[in-house]
């Protein structure tokens, strides 16, 4: 572990934690509108499954720059950063309906990239900054579980709701609603307490960035976890988006049915997050992470059959594994990384694992265009097996002199 000294954390209150969780839940509800509406629209406009899937990938592309964003998160008050990021996303999403039916999809993809920058900033400030600051110190595991469960419930409600909105009011209405949720979240977040920012001048930016990379490199187990999650995301990261493509192009489903299918998966994620504090608590974090990798692998195996019932069942099991994985790995990273480097090191981790998810949109977008149902989601199982193997591998002891 890095020699950096962990800074003391003031105890939070459950009231502040739930205010923030509620605000984030509204924002995530809006995100589901965007993530369902955009591939649906782009597939209609372009007829290309690859372009539709790319609408997900370009939103994740900014994560390649997340170490830079991580320094900003560590330097400034995280509440203010979160508020500005939510407001920026609201404005940018409001511009999408003006461009989405243009002759070229390029302006839309550029706008989605900028929205992804705001989303990255919000996640870094919330997951590894605001939640640990706002939750009581002795309830961090439960706080991550409650937060992830709440967000997953919103992701259950959101797809079903956006399916109804698209089917009745049209895709543009879904985007306007999404923009409003971001602005509402920013307004609520303004009520949270302000933490004093670090007293660090602009000249220290490079030093802070170097310290982040240095600390990440010294944390061997964190590096192994990062590699496993990156490989897993390469296979499974774009599954929800590709499910929308499959539902529209191969199964002939309505927007309501496609949204309901994604909602069922989100319910699985909520269940996984909810039961995480009760699963193998005496086995240690590393073992519990391995258990969730196995659950995800089973979901990928079911999806390999290609039929709609098998894919939805596998997606639900995969989502349950991901819900449990998110809670467990967040706790693992929070305990393993020096507290004053949380933003920077987690930004580096995000840069690697989310880049895998962005690439997944190209991989699954290509396989979704094939005629074989057995190939549509085959990368999900392959990535899950490889990721489990990486995580279960233990380094050999150093040889004696």
């Amino acid at each position: 572990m890095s020699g950096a000294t962990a800074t003391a954390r003031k105890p939070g209150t459950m009231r502040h934690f739930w205010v923030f969780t509620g605000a984030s839940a509204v924002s995530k509800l809006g995100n589901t509108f965007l993530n369902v509406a955009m591939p649906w629209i782009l597939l209609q406009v372009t007829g290309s499954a690859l372009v539709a899937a790319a609408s997900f990938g370009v939103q994740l592309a900014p994560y390649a720059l997340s170490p830079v964003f991580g320094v900003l998160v560590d330097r400034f008050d995280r509440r203010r950063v979160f508020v500005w990021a939510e407001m920026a996303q609201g404005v940018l999403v409001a511009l999408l309906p003006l461009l989405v039916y243009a002759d070229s999809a390029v302006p839309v993809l550029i706008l989605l990239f900028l929205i992804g920058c705001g989303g990255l900033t919000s996640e870094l400030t919330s997951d590894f900054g605001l939640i640990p600051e706002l939750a009581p110190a002795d309830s961090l595991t439960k706080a991550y579980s409650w937060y992830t469960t709440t967000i997953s419930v919103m992701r259950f409600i959101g797809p079903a709701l956006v399916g109804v909105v698209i089917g009745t009011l049209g895709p543009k209405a879904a985007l306007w609603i999404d923009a409003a949720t971001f602005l509402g979240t920013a307004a609520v977040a303004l009520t949270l307490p302000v933490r004093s920012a670090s007293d660090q001048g602009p000249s220290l930016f490079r030093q802070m960035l170097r310290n982040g990379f240095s600390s990440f490199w010294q944390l061997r187990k964190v590096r192994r976890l990062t590699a496993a999650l990156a490989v897993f995301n390469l296979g499974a990261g774009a599954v929800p988006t590709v499910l929308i493509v499959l539902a529209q192009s191969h199964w002939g489903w309505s927007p309501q049915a496609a949204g309901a299918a994604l909602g069922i998966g989100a319910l699985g994620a909520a269940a996984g997050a909810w039961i995480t504090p009760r699963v193998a608590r005496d086995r240690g974090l590393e073992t519990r992470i391995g258990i969730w990798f196995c659950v995800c692998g089973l979901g990928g195996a079911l999806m390999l059959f290609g039929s709609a019932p098998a894919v939805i069942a596998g997606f639900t099991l995969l989502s349950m594994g991901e819900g449990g994985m998110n809670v467990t790995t967040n706790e693992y990273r929070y305990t393993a990384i020096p507290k004053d480097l949380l933003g920077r090191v987690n930004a580096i981790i995000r840069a690697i694992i989310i880049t895998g998810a962005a690439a997944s949109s190209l991989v699954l977008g290509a396989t979704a265009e094939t005629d074989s149902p057995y190939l549509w989601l085959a990368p999900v199982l392959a990535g899950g097996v490889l990721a489990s193997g990486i995580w279960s591998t233990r380094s050999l002891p150093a040889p004696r002199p």
Side-chain angles (χ1 to χ4, degrees), residues 169-256:
L169 302 178
K172 286 187 177 181
L175 297 177
W176 290 120
I177 293 172
D178 182 22
T181 62
F182 283 116
L183 299 179
T185 298
V188 174
L190 285 171
T191 65
L192 297 174
V194 177
R195 305 290 185 185
S196 59
S198 302
D199 184 16
Q200 294 159 330
S203 62
L204 294 180
F205 184 91
R206 292 182 181 178
Q207 180 180 342
M208 292 177 70
L209 195 59
R210 285 196 300 268
N211 288 345
F213 277 102
S214 175
S215 181
F216 171 77
W217 189 252
Q218 292 177 42
L219 298 169
R220 178 178 54 83
K221 292 183 179 179
V222 171
R223 282 191 282 122
R224 181 156 53 88
L225 176 61
T226 303
L229 291 174
V231 171
F232 173 78
N233 274 347
L234 180 62
V239 166
T241 301
V242 172
L243 283 184
I244 296 172
V245 173
L246 295 177
Q248 188 176 3
S249 60
H250 292 289
W251 300 333
W253 287 8
S254 66
Q256 293 91 330

Side-chain angles (χ1 to χ4, degrees), residues 59 140-141 148 155 201 213 216 262 272 284 295 345 356 358 360 389:
Q59 292 181 69
L140 186 59
T141 300
T148 305
R155 287 173 176 162
F213 277 102
F216 171 77
L262 293 185
V295 173
V345 175
S360 175

